[in-house]
Amino acid sequence: MKIAMDIGGANIKIFDGNEYKQYYFPLWKKKNKFMSFLWQLTEKTDLNADMYAITMTAELCDCFKDRREGVTFILNGLKEILHSNRIFVLSNDTNFKLLDLDDAMKFPYSVASANFVATARYISKFEKNALIIDIGSTTADIIPIKDGKILAHTTDFERLKNGELIYTGVLRTNLISISNKVKFKGKNLKISAEYFANTGDVYRVLGEISENEWTTETADGKGKSIIECMRRIARTVCCDVSEGEIYETSERKSKISKADVTQIAKYFRDEQIKTINRAVERLEKKYRIKNRLIIGAGKFLYDDLNASLKYEDLSAVKALYFLTMDLQI
Amino acid sequence: MKIAMDIGGANIKIFDGNEYKQYYFPLWKKKNKFMSFLWQLTEKTDLNADMYAITMTAELCDCFKDRREGVTFILNGLKEILHSNRIFVLSNDTNFKLLDLDDAMKFPYSVASANFVATARYISKFEKNALIIDIGSTTADIIPIKDGKILAHTTDFERLKNGELIYTGVLRTNLISISNKVKFKGKNLKISAEYFANTGDVYRVLGEISENEWTTETADGKGKSIIECMRRIARTVCCDVSEGEIYETSERKSKISKADVTQIAKYFRDEQIKTINRAVERLEKKYRIKNRLIIGAGKFLYDDLNASLKYEDLSAVKALYFLTMDLQI
């Protein structure tokens, strides 16, 4: 048996060729609990495999001083619970290389934020010319494949610079990172800079995700019902949602209607799609690629657009597993 | 003896005419500790006054469902430790009204986010035409005074709409709310949407605030030394700060120099000033006011500009105290 694991900052994903499991684990908040969380996983998942293929993005979490510290911490944690000579770590070299644990420890920057490589390499076996648009909870990866070659840059910094990594996703993204103003009743309104609401609220209010699909936390730690989502969105313009009777003038002036909240949600949806589209179009033009492949939790953003959904259920951890099965180490 | 208190979301400020005290207390995180924190204050400050003048902005914290719940919670907390018939709460009516506790409880929206009124009313006694620019840790308030009248709107929502309240400050502001991209080596670079760094980091790196002046928390909970601030800023572009030797290619590609970090800090400083200035100029033009008065923790932003610093040490809590001393209840 082989097992693939993707250690993200917010989610740990595991695939054994059969079952796909995702666990919400915000590492930057719970660094001290990482070991005990991994131990719990051994009870929930048979981690006694012949080979573990690992990829990660969690090393960027700000509980670590730098990426070296992050990668080392994560790999040390895995080493404690898994057979260390069975651990192989995906490199961010786009040629798809798996490093053994010693090499991964020695070259931590080579295995940092590599998970996009798995997705790209797997799809490139079937699609020789395509732009993969992988919209996740936190980020959107846009990966060009041309004549069967992956043309993506390797590090997060280079991918940011080249518009291949956009820090925008459909669950965790703080609304203010999409736009620090909203168009509201014809006026540009600068919003609060607190972490009051995120994109999960927007897509709940617009009816595009269910409570269960929202796998990460809310901004205020409260629930995911529509009214709770509306309250969070209203707070970004320093308002409450008008629910019951309104008594005083200053109360009236501090409340907005549910229809207003929905308008604000739509504004952020439109702006988020614009941001992703601008990057997509730039890369399409640069590499002359026409075939869009939309995957990830946020694929619904492209429902109404002309795009192929062939690999819609593919995730980096599944791609990593499929590739590892084929591979001779 | 009289005492004025300003209950902010991040800081509680107390002035008794003699000593000014500021305590960092992030209410949205520590709602359960509010009562015990108030009890501690009775040991640190003689709260046995003839009159307590109260103002607040903390009711917007997302630990509360809405402003009514927030105001009620805060006032109930105060009622537990202070003589309730000696509590008076500032109204957001710009005519400067103090409500007794019963009325404040009955009309919670009338006392929400009122602290700017104290500053404005105090200064309006001496300056008949002025634009007050109060740059704090979290927000900037821009308050027009014309012919001795305060022309500011009353609620946060209206003040946001009219550009009188800008959610940008010199300590707590998440950099991404200032700009979701940086100009870096001639390129527009979209940055990470996480809460990785705030304006405190920028002004530490640029040498404009000391560790002691940074009274709120850092984004990662770590220290306020220059190198720690640089690491947080570097993380916004998914980089580490290059400190020691660089070994591998992918390590080199993931690191930026200290000079690069300083450039990024300058970018955010410039953008923040531009944002405030745009709002200032709009209001100057609208009301034909020429006299700028700069106050608050962020007054250093205007050091190089033509502005009066006469009231630079004024804070809302001091203004509230001075006004209350004069007042007949």
Side-chain angles (χ1 to χ4, degrees):
Chain A
M1 195 183 64
K2 292 179 182 183
I3 282 177
M5 288 178 81
D6 183 1
I7 318 279
N11 291 291
I12 295 181
K13 296 158 193 167
I14 300 178
F15 187 61
D16 62 5
N18 186 24
E19 231 183 337
Y20 170 79
K21 287 180 183 163
Q22 177 171 329
Y23 302 98
Y24 179 60
F25 185 77
L27 182 62
W28 73 96
K29 279 190 200 169
K30 296 186 169 183
K31 190 181 154 195
N32 298 338
K33 301 255 164 79
F34 185 59
M35 277 305 304
S36 64
F37 188 79
L38 289 179
W39 278 113
Q40 284 172 43
L41 285 190
T42 64
E43 284 161 28
K44 290 180 187 160
T45 304
D46 181 6
L47 289 182
N48 194 14
D50 309 315
M51 182 188 166
Y52 319 99
I54 308 292
T55 187
M56 67 184 83
T57 49
E59 75 290 338
L60 182 64
C61 285
D62 64 6
C63 51
F64 306 119
K65 185 184 91 175
D66 56 22
R67 248 69 66 81
R68 174 177 293 274
E69 188 180 305
V71 170
T72 306
F73 176 87
I74 292 162
L75 292 180
N76 272 329
L78 291 169
K79 196 177 156 183
E80 287 283 323
I81 61 151
L82 306 174
H83 297 278
S84 63
N85 62 342
R86 299 183 196 169
I87 297 175
F88 293 87
V89 190
L90 183 60
S91 149
N92 53 30
D93 180 314
T94 50
N95 286 318
F96 196 83
K97 284 197 290 196
L98 287 173
L99 304 184
D100 64 28
L101 190 63
D102 286 349
D103 274 353
M105 289 283 209
K106 221 170 2 190
F107 305 110
Y109 286 89
S110 302
V111 297
S113 300
N115 69 357
F116 78 96
V117 172
T119 319
R121 177 52 69 210
Y122 180 76
I123 291 182
S124 74
K125 295 174 88 168
F126 310 100
E127 307 275 345
K128 298 303 167 195
N129 291 285
L131 205 65
I132 305 169
I133 305 165
D134 184 355
I135 305 168
S137 64
T138 311
T139 59
D141 294 288
I142 309 170
I143 310 167
I145 299 173
K146 183 84 180 178
D147 300 330
K149 278 182 73 174
I150 299 164
L151 299 183
H153 289 76
T154 50
T155 68
D156 277 357
F157 180 42
E158 291 173 299
R159 298 198 310 124
L160 274 185
K161 270 201 289 192
N162 290 287
E164 296 163 16
L165 168 63
I166 317 280
Y167 248 94
T168 204
V170 293
L171 301 181
R172 287 187 59 243
T173 300
N174 183 348
L175 297 189
I176 201 149
S177 72
I178 298 174
S179 173
N180 56 19
K181 57 177 191 290
V182 288
K183 196 132 211 156
F184 187 67
K185 300 187 173 180
K187 232 175 178 171
N188 270 329
L189 174 63
K190 283 266 202 193
I191 66 172
S192 164
E194 303 286 358
Y195 175 43
F196 276 156
N198 49 30
T199 41
D201 294 301
V202 164
Y203 296 112
R204 281 289 292 141
V205 166
L206 298 178
E208 298 188 81
I209 58 170
S210 65
E211 288 201 36
N212 285 339
E213 284 168 315
W214 189 349
T215 51
T216 57
E217 277 170 304
T218 59
D220 58 5
K222 296 203 169 76
K224 293 164 182 170
S225 68
I226 300 293
I227 186 63
E228 287 169 298
C229 296
M230 285 192 162
R231 280 188 202 127
R232 285 186 289 266
I233 292 174
R235 208 171 273 129
T236 66
V237 293
C238 299
C239 274
D240 296 328
V241 181
S242 119
E243 291 177 67
E245 250 178 293
I246 294 180
Y247 298 96
E248 10 149 8
T249 322
S250 48
E251 184 183 354
R252 186 183 311 277
K253 288 180 185 165
S254 289
K255 291 194 170 178
I256 57 174
S257 70
K258 293 178 182 178
D260 288 337
V261 172
T262 307
Q263 274 311 110
I264 294 176
K266 275 190 185 137
Y267 180 85
F268 283 108
R269 184 191 202 279
D270 289 348
E271 290 298 308
Q272 183 164 46
I273 290 180
K274 266 189 227 164
T275 300
I276 299 172
N277 265 344
R278 266 194 294 267
V280 164
E281 284 161 16
R282 215 186 54 82
L283 291 169
E284 278 179 340
K285 209 173 145 190
K286 179 173 176 187
Y287 295 110
R288 297 179 195 199
I289 297 170
K290 282 215 175 104
N291 184 22
R292 291 180 181 180
L293 298 171
I294 318 293
I295 61 175
K299 54 183 183 283
F300 63 81
L301 284 186
Y302 275 79
D303 270 359
D304 41 358
L305 295 168
N306 183 23
S308 167
L309 293 176
K310 255 186 283 184
Y311 304 92
E312 55 175 327
D313 285 330
L314 190 71
S315 60
V317 72
K318 284 185 187 174
L320 180 57
Y321 176 84
F322 296 139
L323 289 161
T324 304
M325 283 300 287
D326 273 1
L327 204 77
Q328 301 290 349
I329 300 280
Chain B
M1 195 183 62
K2 291 179 183 183
I3 282 177
M5 287 179 83
D6 183 0
I7 317 279
N11 291 291
I12 295 181
K13 295 158 193 168
I14 300 179
F15 188 61
D16 61 6
N18 184 24
E19 231 181 339
Y20 170 79
K21 286 181 184 162
Q22 178 171 328
Y23 302 98
Y24 179 61
F25 184 77
L27 182 64
W28 72 97
K29 282 189 198 170
K30 297 187 170 185
K31 189 182 152 194
N32 297 339
K33 301 256 164 79
F34 185 59
M35 276 306 303
S36 63
F37 187 81
L38 289 179
W39 279 113
Q40 284 172 42
L41 284 190
T42 63
E43 284 160 30
K44 290 179 187 160
T45 305
D46 181 6
L47 290 183
N48 195 15
D50 308 317
M51 182 189 166
Y52 320 98
I54 308 291
T55 186
M56 68 185 83
T57 50
E59 75 290 339
L60 182 64
C61 286
D62 65 4
C63 51
F64 306 119
K65 186 184 90 175
D66 57 21
R67 247 71 65 84
R68 173 177 294 276
E69 190 181 303
V71 170
T72 307
F73 176 87
I74 292 162
L75 292 181
N76 272 327
L78 292 168
K79 196 177 157 184
E80 287 284 320
I81 59 151
L82 306 174
H83 296 280
S84 64
N85 62 341
R86 298 184 196 168
I87 297 176
F88 293 87
V89 190
L90 183 60
S91 149
N92 53 30
D93 180 315
T94 50
N95 287 318
F96 197 83
K97 284 197 293 196
L98 288 174
L99 305 184
D100 64 28
L101 190 63
D102 284 350
D103 273 354
M105 289 282 211
K106 221 168 5 189
F107 305 111
Y109 286 88
S110 302
V111 296
S113 299
N115 68 358
F116 78 96
V117 172
T119 318
R121 176 53 68 212
Y122 180 76
I123 291 183
S124 75
K125 295 174 88 169
F126 311 99
E127 308 275 344
K128 298 302 167 197
N129 290 286
L131 204 65
I132 304 170
I133 305 166
D134 184 354
I135 305 168
S137 64
T138 310
T139 58
D141 294 290
I142 310 172
I143 310 166
I145 298 173
K146 183 84 182 178
D147 301 330
K149 277 182 73 173
I150 299 165
L151 300 183
H153 289 76
T154 51
T155 69
D156 277 356
F157 181 42
E158 291 173 298
R159 297 199 309 125
L160 273 184
K161 269 201 290 191
N162 290 287
E164 297 163 15
L165 168 62
I166 317 279
Y167 247 93
T168 205
V170 292
L171 302 181
R172 287 187 58 242
T173 300
N174 184 347
L175 297 189
I176 200 148
S177 73
I178 298 174
S179 173
N180 56 19
K181 56 176 191 291
V182 288
K183 197 134 211 156
F184 187 66
K185 302 189 173 178
K187 232 175 176 170
N188 270 327
L189 174 63
K190 284 263 200 196
I191 67 173
S192 164
E194 302 287 357
Y195 174 43
F196 276 156
N198 48 30
T199 41
D201 293 301
V202 164
Y203 296 112
R204 281 288 293 140
V205 165
L206 297 178
E208 299 189 79
I209 58 170
S210 66
E211 287 201 38
N212 285 340
E213 283 169 316
W214 190 347
T215 50
T216 57
E217 278 171 304
T218 59
D220 57 6
K222 295 204 170 76
K224 292 164 183 174
S225 68
I226 300 292
I227 186 63
E228 288 169 298
C229 296
M230 285 193 162
R231 281 189 201 125
R232 284 187 288 267
I233 292 174
R235 207 172 274 128
T236 65
V237 293
C238 298
C239 274
D240 296 326
V241 181
S242 122
E243 291 177 67
E245 250 178 293
I246 294 180
Y247 299 95
E248 10 148 9
T249 323
S250 47
E251 186 183 355
R252 186 183 311 277
K253 287 179 183 164
S254 290
K255 291 193 168 176
I256 56 173
S257 69
K258 293 178 181 178
D260 288 338
V261 173
T262 307
Q263 273 313 107
I264 294 175
K266 275 188 186 138
Y267 180 85
F268 282 108
R269 183 191 204 278
D270 289 348
E271 290 299 307
Q272 183 165 45
I273 291 180
K274 265 188 227 165
T275 300
I276 299 173
N277 265 345
R278 266 194 295 268
V280 165
E281 284 161 17
R282 215 186 54 81
L283 291 169
E284 277 178 342
K285 209 173 147 192
K286 180 173 175 185
Y287 295 111
R288 299 180 195 196
I289 297 171
K290 282 217 174 102
N291 183 21
R292 291 180 181 181
L293 298 171
I294 318 294
I295 61 175
K299 55 182 181 286
F300 64 81
L301 284 186
Y302 275 80
D303 270 359
D304 41 356
L305 295 169
N306 182 22
S308 166
L309 291 176
K310 253 186 284 186
Y311 305 91
E312 56 175 328
D313 285 330
L314 190 73
S315 60
V317 72
K318 284 185 186 174
L320 180 56
Y321 176 84
F322 297 138
L323 289 161
T324 304
M325 284 298 287
D326 275 1
L327 204 78
Q328 301 290 347
I329 300 280

